[in-house]
Amino acid sequence: MKINLLLFFFTGIVFWGCSQDQTTIQIVRNPTFSFNFSPTDSWVASTYSITNISKVVVYPQDTSQPAQLYDRYSLQGSGKDDSGRTFQLVITFDLLNNSPLIGIYTPAYTSQRGLAQVQLYNLTNNNDLSVYNLCSQDLGTDVFQISKQQPTERIVTGAFQMTLCNSRDTAQKMNITGGIVKDLKY
């Protein structure tokens, strides 16, 4: 009887002593908008925005094809590189009306999407501002890709690479590699 009572008491302590813990899981998003432009320099945006700014009509190079009406988006970010220089990057891309953002955007438009313009502003020195645009001779290597989209949270993830030329001297080029767009809210 004493053993049964002791066993009952011990089982009660173990049973009542174990409580169910509640675990809360929270997804924390750390948005990143960055790229590399030389073997040693990289740029990271401290602020960014993605906006649907307008509707545009794009005429294909093949004049026998009809023009397309696209929604135009602009991804803009401002930040500093490893040397402390301030840059603003603007990627403008077009998408067929009400289509998902996921896809590859290039200067050679498809019936669904295209890369309209990329501009990089060097804002470090107000007396010597410089602007870089897509190089007309290197358009085949320019790509902006959105690989993930979560419409309910309005978040996109992707990558990009391109070659930009100085607007005053097209011989001055800047190769953007390893561009990352991660968990940006649109």
Side-chain angles (χ1 to χ4, degrees), residues 8-72:
F8 177 73
F9 180 69
F10 180 72
T11 305
I13 290 174
V14 171
F15 182 72
W16 286 301
C18 295
S19 64
Q20 293 182 352
D21 291 336
Q22 290 185 347
T23 303
T24 303
I25 297 174
Q26 179 181 6
I27 298 173
V28 177
R29 302 280 185 196
N30 291 316
T32 302
F33 184 27
S34 64
F35 64 84
N36 300 319
F37 59 93
S38 76
T40 59
D41 282 329
S42 62
W43 172 87
V44 177
S46 54
T47 62
Y48 77 89
S49 66
I50 301 176
T51 56
N52 179 337
I53 54 176
S54 63
K55 297 238 183 241
V56 296
V57 175
V58 176
Y59 293 92
Q61 289 181 340
D62 181 357
T63 57
S64 66
Q65 299 294 319
Q68 290 279 354
L69 181 64
Y70 293 94
D71 289 333
R72 177 155 285 177

Side-chain angles (χ1 to χ4, degrees), residues 2-3 5 26 34 87 103 106 127 152 165 177 179 182:
K2 288 183 181 181
I3 293 178
L5 188 58
Q26 179 181 6
S34 64
F87 289 97
T106 66
N127 295 324
T152 56
C165 290
T177 60
K182 182 180 175 194

